[in-house]
Amino acid sequence: MIMDQKTTVRNNWTKEEIEEIYHQPLLELIYKASTVHREWHDPSEVQISTLLSIKTGGCPEDCSYCGQAARYHTNIKVQALLPTETVIAHAQKAKDSGSSRFCMAAAWREVRNNRDFDRVIDMVKGVNELGLEVCCTLGMLTEEQAIRLQEAGLYAYNHNLDTSEQYYEEIISTRTFDNRINTINNVRNAGITVCSGGIIGLGETHRDRISMLLTLATMPKHPESVPINALARVAGTPLEDNEKVDTWEMVRMIATARIVMPSSMVRLSAGRIEMNETEQAWCFMAGANSIFTGERETLLVTPNPGVSEDMQMLEKLGLKPMKMNEKSSCC
């Protein structure tokens, strides 16, 4: 059960404070994060989110980790924007399988005011009518575009920082860190909840990871959702030969995020395919309370555990999917 006494939500963290939390002995860090998690959330519940690529590949950006960038030679097949009816059918299937959030991703640099965006608006309306939390990640967007999405029923918008402001130019050159922040501000101003986190394993330092968390934790309002991703090493991308992210590094990031952003949903995102059940259990103990799953056993274009596999794991760990009518209380 959620405790009455809660850790105070703070937006004035210093880098030194987050460094001290991050570098604690691991078991002590996990214990403190688990305690905070129980203050703010039901530790027996995990939100099941389904992520669908509604437009795949052909992106003009040069994100070094992404197999959907047109400039890299990967085996990912380019796919035009899916028909609205197909997307709604996927959303219904996700709901029937236990998901309470349905996320739609398009490999665009930015949203353009054209017929494709009109179709996305229709998709948002259709998924919202199913009673699911609707999330989109479509690249950069203006405040006016964000307002259109909000009016259509969009619940959340995902726009990850990816890494620290200092390391950002090493990973992406086709847009700036400030572009990321501007889109997040546009989303917030439109009254949409924010989903923003990052990726570890890009070649960044511990200082970069702490700096990224500092940016998120000192926003005027914390992102309601904070995905923590491990690099999915896609063949043909500049980072394909990076080392696999150590699970304890993921646990440390999740635990630190949980402590400095106690009310947020902390999402165990990309990289789960390389974790066994024990490793994922440590992430849940450290404060993760959401996972992405999918009927195609992919997370966008990279491998991911399937729905039945995830449900078996949750049952084994004594966890249960979060109910859809609890979305307002969790954020």
Side-chain angles (χ1 to χ4, degrees):
M1 294 296 292
I2 301 174
M3 300 179 186
D4 293 333
Q5 291 295 110
K6 292 183 178 181
T7 304
T8 303
V9 173
R10 290 179 50 194
N11 305 82
N12 61 345
W13 292 97
T14 66
K15 192 168 187 178
E16 292 72 25
E17 287 175 319
I18 298 180
E19 282 178 341
E20 185 176 351
I21 293 169
Y22 181 90
H23 288 297
Q24 288 180 88
L26 186 61
L27 291 181
E28 183 68 14
L29 174 61
I30 294 170
Y31 171 75
K32 290 180 178 177
S34 183
T35 301
V36 172
H37 183 60
R38 281 159 171 74
E39 290 173 356
W40 282 88
H41 306 271
D42 185 336
S44 69
E45 292 186 335
V46 173
Q47 185 177 43
I48 308 300
S49 303
T50 296
L51 178 61
L52 176 69
S53 180
I54 59 173
K55 185 271 178 184
T56 306
C59 182
E61 300 273 33
D62 69 351
C63 306
S64 299
Y65 54 82
C66 186
Q68 299 195 68
R71 67 191 67 202
Y72 305 138
H73 300 290
T74 66
N75 293 323
I76 292 167
K77 184 180 179 181
V78 175
Q79 168 198 282
L81 190 65
L82 292 174
T84 302
E85 298 76 13
T86 301
V87 173
I88 303 303
H90 280 290
Q92 182 64 61
K93 191 167 184 179
K95 179 180 178 180
D96 294 341
S97 298
S99 289
S100 58
R101 175 178 287 217
F102 188 76
C103 306
M104 297 176 283
W108 292 335
R109 168 181 164 76
E110 59 200 348
V111 174
R112 298 183 184 278
N113 295 314
N114 56 21
R115 280 184 286 183
D116 280 350
F117 186 41
D118 293 339
R119 288 170 59 192
V120 171
I121 293 294
D122 289 338
M123 293 174 191
V124 170
K125 290 178 180 177
V127 176
N128 184 55
E129 287 172 0
L130 296 178
L132 291 163
E133 290 183 4
V134 196
C135 179
C136 281
T137 178
L138 313 168
M140 295 181 288
L141 80 169
T142 66
E143 187 171 336
E144 291 73 24
Q145 291 165 338
I147 290 170
R148 279 195 68 192
L149 288 165
Q150 189 275 334
E151 290 173 345
L154 191 70
Y155 182 76
Y157 195 84
N158 169 256
H159 204 63
N160 290 331
L161 298 182
D162 289 344
T163 189
S164 70
E165 183 175 6
Q166 297 76 18
Y167 193 63
Y168 189 84
E169 291 181 358
E170 300 295 322
I171 302 301
I172 304 163
S173 70
T174 49
R175 75 169 91 170
T176 67
F177 191 81
D178 283 344
N179 290 148
R180 299 267 180 183
I181 298 297
N182 289 340
T183 290
I184 291 171
N185 289 339
N186 290 338
V187 169
R188 182 65 78 196
N189 291 339
I192 300 169
T193 66
V194 172
C195 176
S196 186
I199 307 168
I200 66 172
L202 303 174
E204 77 288 345
T205 65
H206 291 290
R207 282 180 173 270
D208 289 313
R209 297 174 187 177
I210 291 164
S211 178
M212 182 189 74
L213 290 175
L214 177 67
T215 299
L216 295 169
T218 54
M219 288 179 174
K221 186 175 182 180
H222 293 163
E224 286 81 359
S225 174
V226 181
I228 304 296
N229 299 274
L231 173 67
R233 297 160 293 167
V234 179
T237 63
L239 302 184
E240 64 175 316
D241 294 324
N242 280 26
E243 292 184 4
K244 175 186 176 294
V245 173
D246 182 80
T247 297
W248 298 120
E249 296 294 309
M250 283 288 285
V251 170
R252 189 174 291 279
M253 278 292 288
I254 286 168
T256 306
R258 169 53 65 220
I259 290 171
V260 299
M261 292 174 280
S263 66
S264 302
M265 300 292 290
V266 177
R267 302 186 183 276
L268 173 57
S269 301
R272 284 201 306 122
I273 194 67
E274 296 190 88
M275 291 183 181
N276 60 36
E277 289 182 347
T278 302
E279 291 170 319
Q280 292 181 69
W282 276 106
C283 292
F284 296 133
M285 180 63 72
N289 57 344
S290 177
I291 57 174
F292 285 98
T293 191
E295 62 186 83
R296 295 177 173 177
E297 299 188 355
T298 59
L299 190 64
L300 291 184
V301 294
T302 57
N304 194 64
V307 178
S308 59
E309 186 180 345
D310 282 334
M311 291 302 179
Q312 290 173 15
M313 175 185 68
L314 294 183
E315 184 177 2
K316 188 178 297 184
L317 297 177
L319 300 173
K320 58 188 178 184
M322 184 179 290
K323 295 289 194 296
M324 285 178 289
N325 61 4
E326 294 172 5
K327 67 182 181 182
S328 58
S329 62
C330 73
C331 298

